[in-house]
């Protein structure tokens, strides 16, 4: 996964808002800073689309909360959460002529990173919806739980469920 989680060197940016053109070419988004990709994942569900400054602010507060709660480097916590919550195998639909069966397949490292980010953002969104907790607090909790590998995390639960289904379809 090292090649697809961009945080060292020139990917270490202060603001998760580089205004880069990461969708122009296949695999270009692998070079997008990982914190910015997390912010982009928060801009989902119609009413939040396009609100990148709001997403950046949420990520900023999240990283501060993580630092206060764990006394670790928050970027390291994010990277650990991504590593722990990306499913290793998935099941795909195989078959023709109306007969569809599921077949277990290994996931590419790039898809693992993408799926982990999606699961983390979705878990935080569902936790903060109709709740007094802010999005930043829920995202911080989700990331910390995922980094620890705790089953309280939505992303870890989903990952285990996906891998269990894939195991049964081997």
């Amino acid at each position: 996964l090292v090649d697809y989680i961009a945080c060292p060197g020139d990917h270490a940016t202060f603001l998760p808002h580089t205004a880069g053109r990461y969708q122009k070419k296949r695999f270009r988004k692998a070079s997008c800073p990982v914190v910015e990709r997390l912010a982009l994942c928060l801009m989902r569900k119609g009413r939040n689309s396009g609100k990148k400054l709001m997403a950046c602010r949420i990520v900023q507060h999240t990283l501060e909360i993580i630092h206060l709660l764990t006394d670790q480097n928050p970027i390291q916590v994010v990277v650990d959460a991504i590593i722990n919550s990306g499913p290793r195998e998935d099941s795909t639909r195989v078959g023709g002529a109306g007969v569809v069966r599921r077949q277990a397949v290994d996931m590419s490292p790039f898809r693992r990173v993408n799926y982990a980010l999606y699961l983390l953002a979705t878990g935080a969104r569902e936790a903060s919806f109709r709740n007094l907790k802010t999005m930043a607090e829920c995202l911080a909790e989700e990331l910390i739980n995922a980094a620890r590998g705790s089953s309280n995390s939505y992303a870890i639960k989903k990952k285990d469920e996906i891998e269990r289904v894939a195991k049964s379809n081997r």
Side-chain angles (χ1 to χ4, degrees):
L1 295 177
V2 175
D3 301 336
Y4 298 109
I5 300 178
C7 44
D10 54 343
H11 302 299
T13 57
F14 184 68
L15 257 187
H17 197 314
T18 57
R21 292 156 46 212
Y22 295 110
Q23 297 296 329
K24 283 285 178 197
K25 219 178 195 161
R26 192 173 178 208
F27 294 117
R28 173 99 39 98
K29 67 179 175 185
S31 63
C32 180
V34 72
V35 179
E36 181 170 2
R37 294 199 54 199
L38 182 63
L40 296 177
C41 283
L42 296 177
M43 296 185 347
R44 299 253 173 89
K45 286 283 187 239
R47 60 184 189 170
N48 297 328
S49 59
K51 300 181 182 175
K52 191 166 183 183
L53 291 178
M54 181 185 77
C56 291
R57 202 190 70 243
I58 289 172
V59 169
Q60 181 188 350
H61 291 325
T62 300
L63 296 180
E64 286 171 5
I65 292 169
I66 289 174
H67 179 64
L68 290 173
L69 290 178
T70 62
D71 291 328
Q72 292 173 307
N73 182 354
I75 306 296
Q76 185 59 49
V77 173
V78 171
V79 170
D80 290 344
I82 290 172
I83 290 170
N84 288 345
S85 58
R88 290 181 290 270
E89 67 172 349
D90 197 0
S91 51
T92 185
R93 297 175 58 170
V94 172
V99 182
V100 175
R101 43 186 288 272
R102 312 275 288 182
Q103 175 69 39
V105 290
D106 292 336
M107 259 191 176
S108 72
F110 194 41
R111 184 164 157 77
R112 275 183 68 184
V113 172
N114 296 345
Y115 213 78
L117 284 166
Y118 164 76
L119 288 176
L120 289 165
T122 308
R125 187 181 304 112
E126 286 187 7
S128 68
F129 189 59
R130 292 194 178 154
N131 196 340
L132 285 173
K133 270 188 176 176
T134 65
M135 182 70 178
E137 289 169 10
C138 291
L139 184 58
E141 195 177 335
E142 179 74 30
L143 287 169
I144 291 168
N145 284 337
R148 288 185 185 140
S150 155
S151 60
N152 291 349
S153 161
Y154 172 90
I156 298 287
K157 275 188 218 158
K158 279 289 186 193
K159 171 198 158 190
D160 292 342
E161 184 186 326
I162 290 166
E163 288 182 350
R164 196 175 61 244
V165 170
K167 191 175 180 183
S168 69
N169 290 323
R170 275 182 189 159

